[in-house]
Amino acid sequence: RLLVASCRPIHSSLVHSREVPIARTRTHKRNHNTAHAMLRTHAHALATTSAVASTRARRPCAFGTRPATPLAFLSSPAQVVSDVATAVLKTPLVLKRYTAVRCDVDLAFDGALTGKVNGVKIRGERWSSPRELTCESISFDVGACELDIGAALSMQGIKLVREAKGCATLVFDSRDFGNFLAHPLFLASSRLFGVGGSKFTFDKSTARVSADGCLEYTGTWARDGVTRAIRMFPGENGSGAASLRVQSQTPNDVALERALEVFFTTLVIDLEGTELLYRDMTIDRTRERVRFNLDVTVKRFPSPNLQF
């Protein structure tokens, strides 16, 4: 009904004008064809808007968004691409729960035609994925890259023509840290590389961000079958093992301490083409929160079907 009501004035003004008699001439046929072309365009825009609106209706939006129509893209391409990216992140397949989600895409001057982007920023609060990867807040910044504009307009998400580099920060409380240690992506990396060449089983229930300025957990090293209590402290500034210091509560456990340092500082979490690599961490003793600073390589943005 909305479609008919909104389209009727266009059809009437072109076909049933009282001022110009209707004549079966070539001019009239051209006008008639033009009217139908406009109707098809208008219907497509309304259908696209309705689809986006119905998707948003399932989740409250923390930030204002605009329909992803061709007209909107021409007037504000950066806003449209940002809205599409935000909508993709908000789908239940990507995020089960969230307090805030925002994606800002800074298109270059000719970005609407070329797909060139100056940068992408993603911000979020209290994210929870379908597989219980949670965080208190997330900040994700990517530098210059090149997007597939056609994929964005067809609501296929954000696809990269050329990979980009950037950085990210994740803030965890004790529960978030425990969820991370038990998450399938983390466990897959743990099984693939091991700790010092042997499996290390992390105990999620013991994970804690301590007011002593460290991360605590227990785990069992398959090399000797002994369960240890582990404390991880922020290390010196810089890359590599120096950015993390591990302390085992088991005496003379230097081999495991070094192995865990290497494991965490070389750990790569791959979200279907978006790779996260540990850089360093800081501990907020008062709030008992840990902030992980990560290096990011985006070969492609995760698809809406990724369940992480």
Side-chain angles (χ1 to χ4, degrees):
R1 287 196 296 269
L2 174 61
L3 177 60
V4 172
S6 61
C7 291
R8 187 177 292 123
I10 299 174
H11 191 276
S12 300
S13 63
L14 292 174
V15 180
H16 298 293
S17 172
R18 294 180 181 179
E19 297 178 4
V20 181
I22 299 177
R24 295 295 177 182
T25 63
R26 291 180 180 178
T27 301
H28 170 72
K29 290 179 179 179
R30 281 197 302 269
N31 288 342
H32 190 73
N33 291 337
T34 302
H36 278 282
M38 293 178 67
L39 286 172
R40 286 194 299 270
T41 301
H42 194 55
H44 173 72
L46 282 175
T48 303
T49 303
S50 299
V52 175
S54 64
T55 300
R56 290 174 182 151
R58 292 194 294 268
R59 286 287 183 90
C61 182
F63 301 91
T65 53
R66 282 184 270 178
T69 65
L71 180 61
F73 179 74
L74 291 175
S75 62
S76 182
Q79 184 65 51
V80 169
V81 176
S82 297
D83 288 349
V84 171
T86 301
V88 168
L89 288 171
K90 287 183 175 181
T91 59
L93 288 176
V94 178
L95 289 177
K96 183 172 63 175
R97 291 184 301 274
Y98 57 83
T99 299
V101 180
R102 179 166 183 155
C103 181
D104 291 315
V105 179
D106 179 14
L107 281 178
F109 177 75
D110 59 347
L113 300 175
T114 64
K116 292 180 180 178
V117 173
N118 294 324
V120 178
K121 296 180 183 293
I122 297 175
R123 301 290 183 268
E125 295 177 9
R126 285 273 40 121
W127 282 17
S128 177
S129 75
R131 301 170 82 178
E132 288 301 318
L133 183 59
T134 59
C135 67
E136 184 170 277
S137 67
I138 183 171
S139 174
F140 186 93
D141 294 87
V142 174
C145 56
E146 188 174 342
L147 301 181
D148 183 338
I149 293 297
L153 283 178
S154 59
M155 291 297 289
Q156 297 177 35
I158 303 302
K159 297 184 177 181
L160 292 185
V161 177
R162 178 167 53 90
E163 71 177 39
K165 300 285 187 178
C167 60
T169 61
L170 295 172
V171 177
F172 287 170
D173 59 17
S174 294
R175 175 178 171 273
D176 299 329
F177 180 52
N179 287 339
F180 174 70
L181 293 181
H183 192 270
L185 286 174
F186 176 82
L187 295 178
S189 294
S190 176
R191 285 193 298 269
L192 180 62
F193 300 105
V195 174
S198 300
K199 180 181 178 181
F200 189 90
T201 303
F202 297 86
D203 185 351
K204 168 185 175 179
S205 65
T206 61
R208 187 167 74 96
V209 183
S210 172
D212 292 337
C214 65
L215 300 177
E216 298 179 347
Y217 57 89
T218 63
T220 304
W221 202 16
R223 179 175 295 184
D224 56 17
V226 176
T227 298
R228 278 103 158 163
I230 302 295
R231 308 182 92 195
M232 294 200 315
F233 295 84
E236 302 172 1
N237 292 332
S239 60
S243 61
L244 179 70
R245 182 168 58 88
V246 172
Q247 182 183 90
S248 172
Q249 301 305 295
T250 301
N252 303 318
D253 216 7
V254 177
L256 177 62
E257 292 171 345
R258 299 295 84 78
L260 281 171
E261 289 174 355
V262 171
F263 171 76
F264 277 100
T265 55
T266 60
L267 177 68
V268 176
I269 300 296
D270 188 351
L271 301 175
E272 267 193 2
T274 297
E275 297 178 347
L276 307 178
L277 176 66
Y278 176 89
R279 184 196 300 166
D280 57 47
M281 70 175 183
T282 57
I283 305 285
D284 185 333
R285 299 185 182 213
T286 303
R287 298 177 60 241
E288 296 185 353
R289 300 290 189 271
V290 57
R291 174 190 175 107
F292 286 109
N293 299 309
L294 311 171
D295 290 318
V296 177
T297 299
V298 184
K299 298 177 180 177
R300 63 183 181 276
F301 277 91
S303 72
N305 297 321
L306 171 66
Q307 291 203 9
F308 67 93

